[in-house]
Amino acid sequence: MNHYKPTDKLAKLIHTNHFLLPVINRFGFRLGFKDKTVEQVCQEQNIDLNFFLTIVNTYTDEDYFPQNELVSFSPVLLIDYLIKTHEYYRNYLFPEVERRLERLLSSCQGTCDDLQLIKSFYNKYKEELLKHLEEEEQNVFPYVLALLKAYENKQALPKKYANYSMKSTEPEHTNVDQKIYDLKNIVIKYLEPTYDDNDCNEFLFAIFQFEKDLLDHARIEDKILLIQVLEIENAIQHG
Ligand SMILES: [Fe+2]
Ligand SMILES: [Fe+2]
């Protein structure tokens, strides 16, 4: 698979993978970029080019793994990006899924027990995912920032983080990834068709999009952030 490069036009990125739309928004890029290339837009907006390319390529190719020299951008940039993604889930994707679910529920004729079960499954899932995001924001990201500061200033890591390591701190993704798949699967396989088809499709489209974004997001945390942090943890231990 060909990966995006600095000389590609930003418009081409969107034509070939429209799921990148919210991703480029998180970098502050908005539509109307004419024939500008990735390199030009990054320069104009003061965005680290390697960082941008690593993210869009990770979102486009599941097997993409950036070369070492490409991962040399600061973890601070990555954490800022990951937090923006969490906000996107809280402020846009959750409410959007819920709007579509309510519409689906109100289109239901007769007994709608199955749909009520879907709703309670979704609510439990949401609670679990919110807990996951919070754990990262309250434990993982502050640890990485403290680690980076200690490394850069050649200081000791605050006592509070003495027993922390990236591998033991980052919560598992398997559970949250599996459950959103299960949610889709129950609707596709077992839901009694007593609802409006278009409303149900709209609900599923939103879940598919959410699932894709979550998988890509988890890959960035499990691969890219992890490599960066392991490198600093090693340097501190051996430094
Ligand atoms: Fe996250
Ligand atoms: Fe995560």
Side-chain angles (χ1 to χ4, degrees), residues 82-83 85-86 89 132-133 136-137 141 170 173 217-218 221:
L82 293 168
I83 291 175
T85 314
H86 289 185
Y89 298 156
H132 178 107
L133 306 180
E136 288 175 340
E137 288 165 14
F141 301 160
E170 171 66 34
H173 289 111
H217 178 81
E221 289 172 346

PDB file of all heavy atoms in Angstrom, residues 82-83 85-86 89 132-133 136-137 141 170 173 217-218 221, ligand 1:
ATOM      1  N   LEU A  82      -4.269  13.032  21.107  1.00  0.00           N
ATOM      2  CA  LEU A  82      -5.107  11.963  21.682  1.00  0.00           C
ATOM      3  C   LEU A  82      -6.226  12.560  22.540  1.00  0.00           C
ATOM      4  O   LEU A  82      -7.364  12.090  22.501  1.00  0.00           O
ATOM      5  CB  LEU A  82      -4.249  10.997  22.515  1.00  0.00           C
ATOM      6  CG  LEU A  82      -3.234  10.155  21.706  1.00  0.00           C
ATOM      7  CD1 LEU A  82      -2.247   9.449  22.632  1.00  0.00           C
ATOM      8  CD2 LEU A  82      -3.957   9.124  20.825  1.00  0.00           C
ATOM      9  N   ILE A  83      -5.907  13.613  23.284  1.00  0.00           N
ATOM     10  CA  ILE A  83      -6.938  14.253  24.115  1.00  0.00           C
ATOM     11  C   ILE A  83      -8.009  14.889  23.224  1.00  0.00           C
ATOM     12  O   ILE A  83      -9.203  14.798  23.511  1.00  0.00           O
ATOM     13  CB  ILE A  83      -6.310  15.295  25.072  1.00  0.00           C
ATOM     14  CG1 ILE A  83      -5.465  14.561  26.124  1.00  0.00           C
ATOM     15  CG2 ILE A  83      -7.374  16.145  25.763  1.00  0.00           C
ATOM     16  CD1 ILE A  83      -4.675  15.456  27.065  1.00  0.00           C
ATOM     17  N   THR A  85      -8.915  13.813  20.422  1.00  0.00           N
ATOM     18  CA  THR A  85      -9.740  12.707  19.918  1.00  0.00           C
ATOM     19  C   THR A  85     -10.750  12.277  20.984  1.00  0.00           C
ATOM     20  O   THR A  85     -11.921  12.028  20.677  1.00  0.00           O
ATOM     21  CB  THR A  85      -8.848  11.515  19.508  1.00  0.00           C
ATOM     22  OG1 THR A  85      -7.764  12.015  18.755  1.00  0.00           O
ATOM     23  CG2 THR A  85      -9.607  10.494  18.707  1.00  0.00           C
ATOM     24  N   HIS A  86     -10.321  12.222  22.227  1.00  0.00           N
ATOM     25  CA  HIS A  86     -11.260  11.884  23.316  1.00  0.00           C
ATOM     26  C   HIS A  86     -12.402  12.906  23.349  1.00  0.00           C
ATOM     27  O   HIS A  86     -13.559  12.542  23.548  1.00  0.00           O
ATOM     28  CB  HIS A  86     -10.556  11.906  24.681  1.00  0.00           C
ATOM     29  CG  HIS A  86      -9.591  10.776  24.896  1.00  0.00           C
ATOM     30  ND1 HIS A  86      -8.955  10.573  26.086  1.00  0.00           N
ATOM     31  CD2 HIS A  86      -9.150   9.797  24.066  1.00  0.00           C
ATOM     32  CE1 HIS A  86      -8.174   9.500  25.994  1.00  0.00           C
ATOM     33  NE2 HIS A  86      -8.266   9.028  24.768  1.00  0.00           N
ATOM     34  N   TYR A  89     -14.949  12.225  20.777  1.00  0.00           N
ATOM     35  CA  TYR A  89     -15.870  11.149  21.158  1.00  0.00           C
ATOM     36  C   TYR A  89     -16.945  11.685  22.099  1.00  0.00           C
ATOM     37  O   TYR A  89     -18.126  11.419  21.920  1.00  0.00           O
ATOM     38  CB  TYR A  89     -15.128   9.997  21.859  1.00  0.00           C
ATOM     39  CG  TYR A  89     -14.091   9.312  20.997  1.00  0.00           C
ATOM     40  CD1 TYR A  89     -13.023   8.619  21.557  1.00  0.00           C
ATOM     41  CD2 TYR A  89     -14.180   9.362  19.606  1.00  0.00           C
ATOM     42  CE1 TYR A  89     -12.071   8.001  20.760  1.00  0.00           C
ATOM     43  CE2 TYR A  89     -13.227   8.744  18.807  1.00  0.00           C
ATOM     44  CZ  TYR A  89     -12.175   8.073  19.399  1.00  0.00           C
ATOM     45  OH  TYR A  89     -11.233   7.466  18.604  1.00  0.00           O
ATOM     46  N   HIS A 132     -12.374   4.372  30.498  1.00  0.00           N
ATOM     47  CA  HIS A 132     -11.094   4.134  29.823  1.00  0.00           C
ATOM     48  C   HIS A 132     -10.423   5.475  29.454  1.00  0.00           C
ATOM     49  O   HIS A 132      -9.245   5.687  29.718  1.00  0.00           O
ATOM     50  CB  HIS A 132     -11.360   3.293  28.565  1.00  0.00           C
ATOM     51  CG  HIS A 132     -10.150   3.004  27.741  1.00  0.00           C
ATOM     52  ND1 HIS A 132      -9.561   1.765  27.696  1.00  0.00           N
ATOM     53  CD2 HIS A 132      -9.414   3.787  26.922  1.00  0.00           C
ATOM     54  CE1 HIS A 132      -8.517   1.816  26.887  1.00  0.00           C
ATOM     55  NE2 HIS A 132      -8.409   3.037  26.395  1.00  0.00           N
ATOM     56  N   LEU A 133     -11.213   6.371  28.875  1.00  0.00           N
ATOM     57  CA  LEU A 133     -10.665   7.670  28.456  1.00  0.00           C
ATOM     58  C   LEU A 133     -10.166   8.453  29.675  1.00  0.00           C
ATOM     59  O   LEU A 133      -9.105   9.071  29.637  1.00  0.00           O
ATOM     60  CB  LEU A 133     -11.716   8.504  27.706  1.00  0.00           C
ATOM     61  CG  LEU A 133     -12.406   7.862  26.502  1.00  0.00           C
ATOM     62  CD1 LEU A 133     -13.410   8.833  25.882  1.00  0.00           C
ATOM     63  CD2 LEU A 133     -11.411   7.417  25.432  1.00  0.00           C
ATOM     64  N   GLU A 136      -6.886   7.220  31.068  1.00  0.00           N
ATOM     65  CA  GLU A 136      -5.739   7.699  30.291  1.00  0.00           C
ATOM     66  C   GLU A 136      -5.434   9.158  30.618  1.00  0.00           C
ATOM     67  O   GLU A 136      -4.279   9.542  30.772  1.00  0.00           O
ATOM     68  CB  GLU A 136      -6.029   7.542  28.795  1.00  0.00           C
ATOM     69  CG  GLU A 136      -5.998   6.099  28.371  1.00  0.00           C
ATOM     70  CD  GLU A 136      -6.404   5.879  26.928  1.00  0.00           C
ATOM     71  OE1 GLU A 136      -7.061   6.762  26.332  1.00  0.00           O
ATOM     72  OE2 GLU A 136      -6.090   4.810  26.399  1.00  0.00           O
ATOM     73  N   GLU A 137      -6.498   9.954  30.724  1.00  0.00           N
ATOM     74  CA  GLU A 137      -6.280  11.387  30.968  1.00  0.00           C
ATOM     75  C   GLU A 137      -5.754  11.645  32.377  1.00  0.00           C
ATOM     76  O   GLU A 137      -5.015  12.588  32.600  1.00  0.00           O
ATOM     77  CB  GLU A 137      -7.586  12.154  30.730  1.00  0.00           C
ATOM     78  CG  GLU A 137      -7.914  12.226  29.251  1.00  0.00           C
ATOM     79  CD  GLU A 137      -9.351  12.645  28.972  1.00  0.00           C
ATOM     80  OE1 GLU A 137     -10.028  13.122  29.885  1.00  0.00           O
ATOM     81  OE2 GLU A 137      -9.784  12.492  27.813  1.00  0.00           O
ATOM     82  N   PHE A 141      -1.454   9.801  30.579  1.00  0.00           N
ATOM     83  CA  PHE A 141      -0.868  10.992  29.947  1.00  0.00           C
ATOM     84  C   PHE A 141      -0.042  11.824  30.941  1.00  0.00           C
ATOM     85  O   PHE A 141       1.079  12.242  30.603  1.00  0.00           O
ATOM     86  CB  PHE A 141      -1.944  11.833  29.250  1.00  0.00           C
ATOM     87  CG  PHE A 141      -2.703  11.087  28.170  1.00  0.00           C
ATOM     88  CD1 PHE A 141      -3.954  11.527  27.736  1.00  0.00           C
ATOM     89  CD2 PHE A 141      -2.173   9.953  27.571  1.00  0.00           C
ATOM     90  CE1 PHE A 141      -4.660  10.848  26.746  1.00  0.00           C
ATOM     91  CE2 PHE A 141      -2.870   9.258  26.580  1.00  0.00           C
ATOM     92  CZ  PHE A 141      -4.120   9.704  26.170  1.00  0.00           C
ATOM     93  N   GLU A 170      -1.133   1.786  30.729  1.00  0.00           N
ATOM     94  CA  GLU A 170      -2.122   1.964  29.643  1.00  0.00           C
ATOM     95  C   GLU A 170      -3.196   0.877  29.754  1.00  0.00           C
ATOM     96  O   GLU A 170      -2.875  -0.314  29.727  1.00  0.00           O
ATOM     97  CB  GLU A 170      -1.406   1.900  28.283  1.00  0.00           C
ATOM     98  CG  GLU A 170      -2.320   1.855  27.062  1.00  0.00           C
ATOM     99  CD  GLU A 170      -3.160   3.124  26.831  1.00  0.00           C
ATOM    100  OE1 GLU A 170      -2.688   4.231  27.117  1.00  0.00           O
ATOM    101  OE2 GLU A 170      -4.319   2.974  26.384  1.00  0.00           O
ATOM    102  N   HIS A 173      -7.103  -2.373  25.435  1.00  0.00           N
ATOM    103  CA  HIS A 173      -8.094  -1.936  24.447  1.00  0.00           C
ATOM    104  C   HIS A 173      -9.008  -3.057  23.981  1.00  0.00           C
ATOM    105  O   HIS A 173     -10.048  -2.812  23.385  1.00  0.00           O
ATOM    106  CB  HIS A 173      -7.398  -1.306  23.235  1.00  0.00           C
ATOM    107  CG  HIS A 173      -6.799   0.022  23.558  1.00  0.00           C
ATOM    108  ND1 HIS A 173      -5.459   0.232  23.616  1.00  0.00           N
ATOM    109  CD2 HIS A 173      -7.379   1.195  23.877  1.00  0.00           C
ATOM    110  CE1 HIS A 173      -5.228   1.493  23.953  1.00  0.00           C
ATOM    111  NE2 HIS A 173      -6.370   2.098  24.117  1.00  0.00           N
ATOM    112  N   HIS A 217      -7.398   4.873  16.872  1.00  0.00           N
ATOM    113  CA  HIS A 217      -6.928   5.604  18.052  1.00  0.00           C
ATOM    114  C   HIS A 217      -6.134   4.665  18.980  1.00  0.00           C
ATOM    115  O   HIS A 217      -5.041   5.006  19.446  1.00  0.00           O
ATOM    116  CB  HIS A 217      -8.152   6.175  18.779  1.00  0.00           C
ATOM    117  CG  HIS A 217      -7.850   6.905  20.037  1.00  0.00           C
ATOM    118  ND1 HIS A 217      -7.419   8.203  20.048  1.00  0.00           N
ATOM    119  CD2 HIS A 217      -7.918   6.522  21.337  1.00  0.00           C
ATOM    120  CE1 HIS A 217      -7.238   8.590  21.308  1.00  0.00           C
ATOM    121  NE2 HIS A 217      -7.537   7.585  22.104  1.00  0.00           N
ATOM    122  N   ALA A 218      -6.681   3.468  19.197  1.00  0.00           N
ATOM    123  CA  ALA A 218      -6.019   2.499  20.077  1.00  0.00           C
ATOM    124  C   ALA A 218      -4.664   2.093  19.493  1.00  0.00           C
ATOM    125  O   ALA A 218      -3.688   1.911  20.219  1.00  0.00           O
ATOM    126  CB  ALA A 218      -6.898   1.265  20.258  1.00  0.00           C
ATOM    127  N   GLU A 221      -2.094   4.628  20.313  1.00  0.00           N
ATOM    128  CA  GLU A 221      -1.651   4.532  21.714  1.00  0.00           C
ATOM    129  C   GLU A 221      -0.778   3.299  21.931  1.00  0.00           C
ATOM    130  O   GLU A 221       0.255   3.376  22.593  1.00  0.00           O
ATOM    131  CB  GLU A 221      -2.878   4.480  22.638  1.00  0.00           C
ATOM    132  CG  GLU A 221      -3.576   5.822  22.690  1.00  0.00           C
ATOM    133  CD  GLU A 221      -4.911   5.811  23.422  1.00  0.00           C
ATOM    134  OE1 GLU A 221      -5.465   4.729  23.695  1.00  0.00           O
ATOM    135  OE2 GLU A 221      -5.392   6.903  23.720  1.00  0.00           O
TER     136      GLU A 221
HETATM  137 FE    FE B   1      -7.304   7.164  24.264  1.00  0.00          FE
END
